[in-house]
Structure formats: structure tokens, C-alpha cells
Amino acid sequence: MASPLILELNGLCAGYGEIQVLWGIDLAARRGEITALIGSNGAGKTTLMRALSGLIPTTGGHYFSEGRDLTGDAAAEILGHGIVHVPEGRRLFGAMGVEDNLLMGAYLRKVGRAELKRDLESVYATFPKLRERRHQAAGTLSGGEQQMCAIGRGLMSVPRLIMIDELSLGLSPLLVEQLVAALKALNAAGMSILLVEQDVTIALDLCHQAFVMDMGRIVRAGSGRELLADPIVRDAYLGVLQE
Ligand code: ATP
């Protein structure tokens, strides 16, 4: 039976050329759960997602997913294994229509039109706004719609794990609420999610388990509830001073 860990990182190191950013990350994320990564600016959250999606090479440690060793694998292999990255800033093809952007997410899959259509329908069921706007250029969508489109594009790869960097950045509270509801529904249907979210309250409310990063290391871990009650987390990340 495959390991129940969708992510198992042992001593993972990575960086940019000479600059080391991640200093031995140990992390275990369970299949079927929402796992959050929190931490201050520059802690290395985005860098970790880049390393996990193969966009930057790892320089030490090991990376497994459901028992399979992905250490050193290239981005296309990692995507082929079912790990998809929704990057910060969304990176859509602005001049292309919404539906064409979504279809780009399926480019590695060798499937027929009927299956693609079924998967598009499933994305539209999660984000009905995208169906309304399917012929509109992605660059003209609102920020929230762009985030839906970026997540939808990730879902079109039919991933085992979707990693979302900065879910709520720049979005209104109402849109964030809609996105959170969509992620809860996806997770309830079995999707594993790794979330980087600067709004720590949202992240800890939503997740099953969270890891706190600081200066390229994991400094704390626990359930969302445990970390919300942790005086150090409250002081450092929620702006709640200890009594
Ligand atoms: P934020 O919440 O601000 O996005 P983060 O936790 O995602 O922060 P990273 O973006 O991973 O942090 O950055 C971690 C460190 O890596 C920072 O010191 C940053 O300056 C550095 N860094 C990020 N991208 C590069 C790059 N392309 N080249 C060199 N250093 C980089």
C-alpha cells in the first residue's frame, strides 16, 4: 500500500546558486489533508514550493511522495506524479481565454476530448464564475477570478497534491471566503492541499496541520488549533501580545 504521506521531506536543502535558503526541512503532510505553511516574509515558503515542484534544484536531503522518491526529479516528472504548483502572482496567459488557460493545465496528460470536457466541467462546478467567463481573456479577469483560474488550471492536471502560494493576496474578504469554501469542498472530495497563506488566521482555521517556517527552517508544527493557541505563534504571527 502506498504511504499515506503525500509529502515526506527529510533534511531538504535548496536555494538559488550560491545562496542557500532552505536548511534541512523535515515535514510530513498526510494525504487527504490541508497542510499550511506559515512564516514571516522571506522565511522560505515560496522557495520550498519551488523546490517541491522542481523549479529549483534541491541540494540536500530527500523528498518522497506516497513512498515514491522524487528527490532530484525534474519539474515535468513531478507534475507527472501529480504534484502541481499554483504560483504566487497566478502567472496566467493574459491574452488567452479562460478555457484555453485551463486546458494548458492538462497539457502533459494524454487524454481524449471527452475526458478533458469532463474535467473542465468539474472545474466549472467548483468555480461557476469561470464558466461564465470562459471566452474572456484571462488578463481581464478580476484578481479573485484570476486566482480561481490559476487553481482551476492546476486542477486540470488532476493532481494528487495541489500547492497554492498566497491564496488570498490582494483579494477582498468576500472573494477570500469563496476561495476558502472552494478549497474546503475540494478537500472534502479527497484533494490534498499545501497552502502558503500570509493571513495566518485563515491558514490555521482552514488547515488540518501547519508548519511554521523561519529563516529557512521549520520552527514549529501542529494542528491549526494547537498553533492558534500557541503563545509564540500568537505573538509573532497574529500580533496578539502575550499577557
Ligand atoms: P514571502 O512571504 O515574502 O513571499 P517567503 O517565505 O515565500 O516570503 P521566499 O520568497 O522563499 O520567502 O524567500 C526566501 C529567501 O530567498 C529570501 O531571503 C529571498 O530574498 C531569497 N530569494 C527568493 N528568490 C530568490 C532568487 N530568485 N534569487 C536569490 N534569492 C532569492
Side-chain angles (χ1 to χ4, degrees):
M1 206 180 98
S3 156
L5 296 179
I6 193 77
L7 282 179
E8 187 180 0
L9 312 179
N10 302 319
L12 205 76
C13 298
Y16 303 92
E18 301 280 282
I19 305 166
Q20 185 167 352
V21 175
L22 303 179
W23 297 85
I25 301 291
D26 293 323
L27 180 155
R30 289 181 287 269
R31 182 172 54 222
E33 291 198 350
I34 301 179
T35 305
L37 273 180
I38 61 172
S40 46
N41 289 334
K45 307 177 297 292
T46 295
T47 302
L48 180 55
M49 283 200 172
R50 287 188 183 137
L52 296 182
S53 56
L55 289 176
I56 59 168
T58 55
T59 52
H62 283 97
Y63 167 17
F64 299 91
S65 176
E66 296 183 303
R68 182 163 154 183
D69 190 351
L70 300 180
T71 317
D73 280 5
E77 290 170 288
I78 292 171
L79 183 58
H81 181 67
I83 295 179
V84 73
H85 181 190
V86 180
E88 189 179 355
R90 291 130 209 180
R91 309 273 164 87
L92 297 172
F93 299 95
M96 279 169 49
V98 166
E99 190 155 295
D100 288 336
N101 267 276
L102 294 176
L103 287 169
M104 290 296 286
Y107 79 101
L108 268 187
R109 295 170 58 209
K110 294 183 176 51
V111 290
R113 289 175 61 163
E115 203 168 328
L116 285 180
K117 191 157 188 309
R118 191 199 63 199
D119 296 335
L120 273 176
E121 285 306 317
S122 152
V123 170
Y124 290 147
T126 305
F127 300 116
K129 263 271 154 60
L130 295 182
R131 186 200 302 277
E132 283 169 35
R133 312 216 163 234
R134 64 185 182 277
H135 300 304
Q136 187 173 324
T140 64
L141 295 174
S142 72
E145 291 162 354
Q146 289 194 18
Q147 185 64 293
M148 292 173 192
C149 190
I151 295 171
R153 182 178 58 184
L155 293 173
M156 284 299 289
S157 69
V158 191
R160 296 164 197 257
L161 171 71
I162 186 164
M163 306 192 289
I164 305 173
D165 197 354
E166 299 291 9
L167 178 76
S168 76
L169 198 67
L171 305 182
S172 71
L174 185 64
L175 270 166
V176 175
E177 226 173 84
Q178 288 175 13
L179 284 166
V180 163
L183 291 194
K184 280 186 180 161
L186 285 170
N187 175 249
M191 180 68 66
S192 307
I193 300 172
L194 180 68
L195 185 68
V196 164
E197 172 53 47
Q198 36 119 33
D199 186 319
V200 172
T201 312
I202 290 177
L204 294 181
D205 269 343
L206 183 59
C207 74
H208 297 92
Q209 196 190 193
F211 293 85
V212 184
M213 285 185 77
D214 187 35
M215 297 177 74
R217 292 180 167 86
I218 302 288
V219 294
R220 262 183 152 66
S223 69
R225 188 178 303 196
E226 280 162 359
L227 291 180
L228 271 172
D230 181 326
I232 292 181
V233 171
R234 290 170 71 78
D235 186 1
Y237 303 104
L238 293 167
V240 181
L241 289 174
Q242 295 176 59
E243 283 159 23

